[in-house]
Amino acid sequence: MTYRAATGDFDAAPAQDPRYERSAVIDLDAIRHNVRRLAATASPAKVMAVVKADAYGHGAVPVARAALEAGAAWLGVAHISEALALRAAGIDAPLLAWLHTTESNFGAAVAAGVDIGCSGWELERIVAAAREQERPARIHLKVDTGLGRNGATMDTWDHLVGEAMEYQDQGLLRVVGIFSHLAVADEPERPETDQQLAAFRDVLAVAADAGVDPEVRHLANTPATLSRPDTHFDLVRVGLGIYGLSPFDGQTSAELGLRPAMTLRAVVSQCKEVPDGQGVSYGLRYHTNGASTLGLIPVGYADGIPRVATGGPVRVAGKTYPVVGRIAMDQMVIDLGDVGPAGAGLFGAEAELFGNGADGGPTVDDWARAAGTINYEIVTRISPRVPRRFINEQAPAPGGAAAVVHGGEGAA
Ligand SMILES: *Cc1c(COP(=O)(O)O)cnc(C)c1O
């Protein structure tokens, strides 16, 4: 059989298409829906769609385009290299990169109109890059209001602002933004968010006194966008929420009006009847309890499912089974029970590890619980070996295609 579906549609495609065997299906309509939902909550503040780490595993370029179509005004990434990849794909929206090393290519960032987060040490390098490129750099000054990671300390803030303003006066840069990052916004009852907010207001006042007139002041991540309107300022930086996942323990995506965008699916690669007491997978940590049928799922830790996540759910033919025995590099096993010859009917069936949860199916959160981690990590680690398949690439709304790439007034 040499036939291949010309459409590339996995539902119609023959098994030779690798996306039919195993894929992470990314629903770009869900991305658009989530961005609109978050934009409505944030309004009048604008939305920066955070698409670092290949859009948390969802595919940076298609997600960035969908987010911009749905009203995101900015894009955000960690590394300059990630920003340059978006520019290379023709995306010219305002774009901020905030995590740098001495090896970062500040010159390329300035040349590509990428905004650069600056915590202090970067300033001299950014200015050197601006001189070399004969183009003013666009920077966002970052302050550490309590997270203890990136950002200028409160003690050095005054000095950093002063230096930046001298360079701005010389035409070498423009202070476009001032920002900070929250530590505990996913736990709304904790007091530290108030303390960080108060500190942020203080540093904004210091900057205003020094004559800084930023376009955007930004502090909120997804949890703060959803739970703390007083943190919105001019712009919110949302990552997790645009992927449809909940940042809160005990609150589902649906309760927040969000739609999970990634479905992880594969085809059951073997079903076989085994006797009572059959050991399963490395270490033989599981034995069947009675005669049973084992289903083999061709997804493992090389695909990004954590090895510790035994017990995670896999849905086959409308029923959800826990993974039994150790998860291996390429595969995992579910115990279909004493179904007799009927089990063979599940050979070649679709297995869903997680999806949008709308129909009671398994979710990213289930896998996060099984692995003792958070939903962020589950989707972000789905590896490049799993083909991404994008659905609903075309926005149904009028004017969708024309709005794919914005001319970013702030990007020049
Ligand atoms: C990753 C990141 C975000 C997005 O956080 P979410 O909780 O996913 O919304 C925002 N700001 C910074 C600085 C980040 O590193």
Side-chain angles (χ1 to χ4, degrees), residues 143-146 151-159 196 198-200 202-203:
V143 60
D144 180 2
T145 53
T153 62
M154 300 291 282
D155 286 346
T156 56
W157 178 248
D158 210 0
H159 180 71
Q196 285 196 263
F200 192 57
D202 288 346
V203 303

Side-chain angles (χ1 to χ4, degrees), residues 50 52 56 98 142 149 179 181 220-223 237-241 247 376:
V50 177
K52 62 189 179 187
Y56 294 33
W98 54 69
K142 183 162 197 188
R149 286 190 342 195
F179 75 121
H181 196 31
N221 52 5
T222 295
R237 302 184 307 270
V238 289
L240 192 74
Y376 290 76

Side-chain angles (χ1 to χ4, degrees), residues 343-369:
L346 298 178
F347 171 58
E350 171 167 316
E352 183 181 311
L353 281 80
F354 55 79
N356 66 15
D359 49 4
T363 63
V364 174
D365 294 294
D366 295 331
W367 280 98
R369 258 187 302 279

Side-chain angles (χ1 to χ4, degrees), residues 10-366:
F10 76 82
D11 290 317
Q16 289 90 338
D17 185 333
R19 294 176 308 176
Y20 183 75
E21 287 188 333
R22 305 157 1 94
S23 53
V25 181
I26 312 300
D27 182 354
L28 294 174
D29 247 1
I31 300 282
R32 291 186 202 96
H33 164 86
N34 298 326
V35 168
R36 283 193 294 266
R37 153 86 180 89
L38 292 156
T41 301
S43 178
K46 299 252 189 289
V47 167
M48 172 188 287
V50 177
V51 295
K52 62 189 179 187
D54 201 26
Y56 294 33
H58 293 67
V61 169
V63 166
R65 290 200 172 119
L68 293 168
E69 284 165 16
W74 285 74
L75 297 171
V77 291
H79 302 289
I80 286 172
S81 54
E82 295 177 295
L84 297 175
L86 292 169
R87 286 286 189 256
I91 294 172
D92 62 359
L95 170 55
L96 171 65
W98 54 69
L99 183 60
H100 318 298
T101 72
T102 51
E103 304 303 314
S104 296
N105 194 341
F106 294 109
V110 171
V114 171
D115 290 23
I116 305 169
C118 176
S119 298
W121 68 264
E122 302 96 333
L123 191 61
E124 295 306 323
R125 291 177 191 251
I126 292 168
V127 164
R131 287 200 170 103
E132 179 193 291
Q133 298 295 327
E134 299 179 353
R135 178 175 175 170
R138 293 169 49 90
I139 70 169
H140 296 229
L141 295 174
K142 183 162 197 188
V143 60
D144 180 2
T145 53
L147 178 59
R149 286 190 342 195
N150 216 345
T153 62
M154 300 291 282
D155 286 346
T156 56
W157 178 248
D158 210 0
H159 180 71
L160 176 60
V161 166
E163 278 194 318
M165 286 309 282
E166 275 181 36
Y167 288 127
Q168 178 166 308
D169 291 344
Q170 293 168 37
L172 289 163
L173 58 78
R174 159 116 180 90
V175 179
V176 175
I178 295 176
F179 75 121
S180 188
H181 196 31
L182 295 169
V184 298
D186 55 324
E187 300 172 82
E189 66 290 348
R190 287 183 63 164
E192 292 94 335
T193 298
D194 287 329
Q195 293 158 12
Q196 285 196 263
L197 179 57
F200 192 57
R201 292 213 160 96
D202 288 346
V203 303
L204 290 177
V206 169
D209 282 348
V212 184
D213 178 23
E215 283 169 34
V216 285
R217 301 159 299 161
H218 44 114
L219 177 63
N221 52 5
T222 295
T225 299
L226 292 168
S227 69
R228 292 292 300 254
D230 53 347
T231 64
H232 289 178
F233 293 91
D234 307 306
L235 184 66
V236 299
R237 302 184 307 270
V238 289
L240 192 74
I242 71 176
Y243 308 106
L245 301 176
S246 168
F248 303 117
D249 255 355
Q251 246 185 320
T252 64
S253 300
E255 284 163 353
L256 296 170
L258 300 172
R259 282 170 29 199
M262 183 191 290
T263 295
L264 186 63
R265 54 175 299 287
V267 167
V268 177
S269 65
Q270 189 182 46
C271 277
K272 66 179 177 196
E273 291 183 61
V274 297
D276 180 28
Q278 171 71 53
V280 176
S281 193
Y282 296 126
L284 302 177
R285 298 298 191 85
Y286 178 82
H287 293 83
T288 54
N289 182 18
S292 194
T293 294
L294 298 178
L296 190 62
I297 310 299
V299 177
Y301 62 77
D303 301 299
I305 294 296
R307 182 173 174 273
V308 297
T310 295
V314 179
R315 182 164 69 172
V316 179
K319 195 167 169 217
T320 301
Y321 305 87
V323 170
V324 297
R326 284 211 178 119
I327 292 173
M329 187 182 294
D330 311 307
Q331 47 196 297
M332 58 179 74
V333 176
I334 55 177
D335 185 345
L336 300 165
D338 190 9
V339 290
L346 298 178
F347 171 58
E350 171 167 316
E352 183 181 311
L353 281 80
F354 55 79
N356 66 15
D359 49 4
T363 63
V364 174
D365 294 294
D366 295 331

